[in-house]
Amino acid sequence: MKRRTLFSIIVITLTAGFFTLFYGMHSTWTDTRSAQAVQAATDQVNDLFKDQSHQLPSDQLNKQAIAAAETKLQQARQKANDADHAAALASAQADVDAAKHMLIVKDAVAQNATKLDELKTLSDESQQALTELAKQKPTFVQTYQKRVAQLSDQEAAVAKIASLFSDTDFKTPKPNLSSLSSAQVQAALAAVEKLDNKQFADQVMPLISTAQDATAGEDSRDTEPSASSVLPSSADSSQPAVADSSSQASSSTASSSESEQSQASSSTSTATSSSSQNP
């Protein structure tokens, strides 16, 4: 009886020890897997930035890199098993969201859009992104806010240029452009000249030249005298000619009459002379 009781105690003790060991090993293995998943996710997030404080984006930041980081985070969440891991993943997710806003700004300032609707979209989206990053990433905001402001200046300049054209491609100046205030052309020119982005300014300056050429052409056509104001009308030109012809005809008639009168006077004098000589 004592042997049976002792054997039972030994079996129970060994079984309990086995389960305790198994649970401990499983817990350790689970913790290890969770820690490894969290580490892999945070490493992937770190690659989105060029500094340890995650204030500036990596030069290779793109949509594919952000998508890969989000995939790693999703996998880590499925394996995370404690509060510390959950907090680390939440912080990493916040950095991924910030990277998305950074990419919007980076892409916006890198483009050379000249169409008004595109510039407006880029300017609005980048301004909104900076607003979202103001508290979390102040270094990034300070670095890029001037370049985003340049987008707003470019949008304003193109809006003034757009007022000179009748199409969105800026190929057809508005008809009767000369009837517009010349101040509009000068305002567009001034807006382009003050741009800090000289490459963009050089790109849109020919558009203003096109508008100026159209204005000059219409002004010259407006100032050309019409043919009717230079040349006399046929009726007016014919009247002096008729008058001249009448004057010449009258002069000829008068001369003929005087000639005939002088010949008649000569004949009368001759006849009188002859009659006085004959008794």
Side-chain angles (χ1 to χ4, degrees):
M1 184 67 179
K2 291 182 179 181
R3 290 182 179 179
R4 184 177 299 176
T5 301
L6 181 61
F7 179 76
S8 298
I9 293 173
I10 293 174
V11 171
I12 293 172
T13 301
L14 290 175
T15 302
F18 173 78
F19 279 108
T20 300
L21 178 62
F22 175 79
Y23 177 79
M25 292 179 62
H26 177 74
S27 178
T28 301
W29 178 73
T30 302
D31 289 345
T32 301
R33 285 188 63 208
S34 176
Q36 289 175 344
V38 171
Q39 186 62 48
T42 54
D43 287 345
Q44 192 80 39
V45 173
N46 290 339
D47 291 341
L48 304 178
F49 303 89
K50 64 170 51 176
D51 59 329
Q52 293 182 349
S53 61
H54 294 182
Q55 286 292 312
L56 295 174
S58 168
D59 294 335
Q60 289 76 38
L61 181 65
N62 53 43
K63 292 181 178 180
Q64 290 75 16
I66 292 174
E70 287 191 309
T71 299
K72 289 288 186 181
L73 286 174
Q74 182 62 31
Q75 293 172 351
R77 288 191 192 95
Q78 295 173 354
K79 299 174 182 178
N81 61 351
D82 61 36
D84 290 340
H85 290 166
L89 292 176
S91 176
Q93 182 63 57
D95 281 334
V96 170
D97 294 338
K100 292 178 182 179
H101 294 309
M102 290 180 175
L103 183 60
I104 290 173
V105 175
K106 279 192 64 177
D107 286 348
V109 300
Q111 295 189 40
N112 287 318
T114 57
K115 290 188 176 181
L116 183 58
D117 55 346
E118 293 178 0
L119 277 170
K120 179 173 176 55
T121 299
L122 293 174
S123 178
D124 291 346
E125 289 181 349
S126 56
Q127 287 283 3
Q128 181 62 34
L130 287 185
T131 301
E132 297 290 339
L133 295 169
K135 293 182 178 180
Q136 185 183 0
K137 308 294 181 184
T139 301
F140 176 85
V141 173
Q142 184 178 2
T143 302
Y144 280 85
Q145 62 184 357
K146 182 178 180 180
R147 297 172 69 181
V148 171
Q150 290 177 2
L151 274 179
S152 297
D153 292 339
Q154 291 169 205
E155 178 192 350
V158 172
K160 293 183 184 299
I161 293 174
S163 68
L164 307 177
F165 291 84
S166 58
D167 63 325
T168 57
D169 293 328
F170 303 148
K171 293 183 178 180
T172 307
K174 285 185 176 178
N176 300 321
L177 189 59
S178 60
S179 65
L180 299 175
S181 172
S182 62
Q184 289 182 265
V185 177
Q186 294 303 317
L189 182 62
V192 171
E193 288 178 342
K194 80 171 187 177
L195 293 176
D196 291 331
N197 189 339
K198 298 306 178 185
Q199 180 181 358
F200 181 84
D202 292 341
Q203 189 175 354
V204 298
M205 188 64 77
L207 301 176
I208 298 180
S209 299
T210 299
Q212 286 177 322
D213 292 344
T215 304
E218 292 193 4
D219 285 344
S220 63
R221 287 195 296 272
D222 291 341
T223 56
E224 286 179 358
S226 62
S228 61
S229 65
V230 175
L231 298 176
S233 63
S234 57
D236 293 342
S237 60
S238 63
Q239 288 178 357
V242 172
D244 291 344
S245 299
S246 300
S247 298
Q248 292 176 357
S250 299
S251 299
S252 298
T253 303
S255 298
S256 299
S257 299
E258 290 176 355
S259 177
E260 290 175 355
Q261 289 177 359
S262 62
Q263 290 177 357
S265 298
S266 297
S267 301
T268 305
S269 298
T270 302
T272 306
S273 174
S274 299
S275 60
S276 62
Q277 289 177 358
N278 294 322

